[in-house]
Amino acid sequence: MYLGILDTPELASAAAARIVLAVFKKEPNSILGVTTGSTPEGLYAELRAAHARGEFTLANSQAFALDEYVGISADHYERYRNVLRRELVGSRNTGLKNENLHSPNGLVSNSAAVAAQYDRDIRDAGGIDLQILGIGSNGHIGFNEPGGSLVSRTHVTPLSRQTILANARFFGHYPRNVPKTCITQGLGTIMEARILLLLAFGENKAEAVAQLAEGPISARWPATITQMHPEVYVVTDAAAASKLELSELYQERWALKFGA
Ligand code: F6R
């Protein structure tokens, strides 16, 4: 695991964007796994800017969403597919074509079958090359909440109370308006991506980041499973790194790979 600690979310987003650009420079048609929430917004802005400069495009790529709310209406502003369309799709964003943005359909009654099909779709496309991740303050990645299987596949699952409260800000600050269930790539699915790029900003992520890098692998902190992945980049701001014991060592390792 490489852990980069930047002073601010803006600097961290720029560092994360450099990693994405380097992957796409090497393999221009890479398949990108995309997350939602507040954390990747700066990274997506960097990717749009790089696209505008002609340095990056998703025009020939496919993207797979990490998760989706179950039962949210097709035109809801916070439906993750709609969020990702606004952030990434189109020539004024990153060039991604709408038909190449894949997301689990949370609108059908048989969502378990949809979940199983989603795993097959990822596999049939050749697998995800680079998976972008955020992290919940409870250590979830995707919506793999504490206590779930560490080898799960894409599945339907309830959101934890903590996640519902955290996401209420997207739903007028009313927890009751947050969908209670979602379809998420499983931890086993996420672990099959060739490269993981996880971003974490803010003091409320500090415990989760400390567990992620230094805690024992445990279903209590689902992101800890990424310690078993061969190529993980974690990019944080100073606040999210504030509970790490060995930050100096991580900085040295990062500088050796990417320069200071
Ligand atoms: C969202 C997702 C979640 C978020 C996490 C952090 O698609 O999979 O794991 O990445 O809840 O959310 P923010 O970035 O809003 O703090």
Side-chain angles (χ1 to χ4, degrees):
M1 180 178 290
Y2 289 94
L3 216 152
I5 304 167
L6 286 297
D7 286 343
T8 64
E10 291 73 25
L11 290 171
S13 298
R18 286 195 289 277
I19 292 174
V20 178
L21 262 54
V23 169
F24 276 78
K25 195 167 179 197
K26 217 163 141 197
E27 292 289 342
N29 301 342
S30 289
I31 296 182
L32 191 62
V34 284
T35 187
T36 43
S38 302
T39 309
E41 286 171 3
L43 167 60
Y44 294 156
E46 293 280 347
L47 296 182
R48 289 193 297 271
H51 181 257
R53 292 193 302 270
E55 293 170 9
F56 173 77
T57 183
L58 291 177
N60 306 311
S61 298
Q62 303 196 50
F64 282 86
L66 193 54
D67 39 30
E68 182 61 276
Y69 294 118
V70 168
I72 196 165
S73 63
D75 59 355
H76 197 293
Y77 193 77
E78 295 300 337
R79 184 189 185 206
Y80 282 161
R81 183 174 183 85
N82 296 339
V83 173
L84 290 165
R85 283 182 68 167
R86 289 195 300 274
E87 295 278 335
L88 299 173
V89 167
S91 54
R92 294 217 292 211
N93 286 328
T94 64
L96 180 68
K97 296 184 181 80
N98 187 43
E99 63 269 29
N100 288 340
L101 171 63
H102 307 273
S103 59
N105 185 353
L107 284 169
V108 292
S109 51
N110 192 357
S111 32
V114 167
Q117 183 60 45
Y118 199 61
D119 261 359
R120 284 195 292 275
D121 290 346
I122 292 173
R123 200 174 316 124
D124 292 349
I128 291 172
D129 294 301
L130 173 61
Q131 176 66 56
I132 298 167
L133 296 166
I135 187 169
S137 57
N138 64 0
H140 73 213
I141 50 174
F143 281 131
N144 293 279
E145 301 283 30
S149 161
L150 292 176
V151 293
S152 58
R153 312 302 309 174
T154 300
H155 60 287
V156 180
T157 185
L159 296 175
S160 69
R161 185 78 194 141
Q162 197 172 338
T163 299
I164 288 171
L165 292 177
N167 286 10
R169 70 191 194 281
F170 296 116
F171 292 86
H173 296 277
Y174 289 113
R176 67 172 179 274
N177 289 349
V178 181
K180 304 288 173 282
T181 316
C182 67
I183 303 185
T184 181
Q185 285 188 35
L187 292 173
T189 314
I190 293 169
M191 288 289 284
E192 284 171 4
R194 291 177 189 96
I195 302 173
L196 303 182
L197 173 59
L198 187 149
L199 289 82
F201 307 144
E203 221 265 311
N204 69 328
K205 303 291 174 73
E207 180 64 26
V209 168
Q211 293 289 340
L212 157 71
E214 297 173 344
I217 295 173
S218 155
R220 172 63 189 84
W221 296 94
T224 56
I225 191 63
T226 63
Q227 292 173 21
M228 297 293 290
H229 192 284
E231 191 169 358
V232 185
Y233 303 95
V234 177
V235 189
T236 79
D237 66 357
S242 59
K243 292 192 177 165
L244 287 166
E245 276 178 24
L246 304 176
S247 48
E248 209 174 300
L249 171 63
Y250 309 143
Q251 298 279 52
E252 283 169 22
R253 193 181 291 141
W254 185 268
L256 202 59
K257 183 152 181 80
F258 296 110

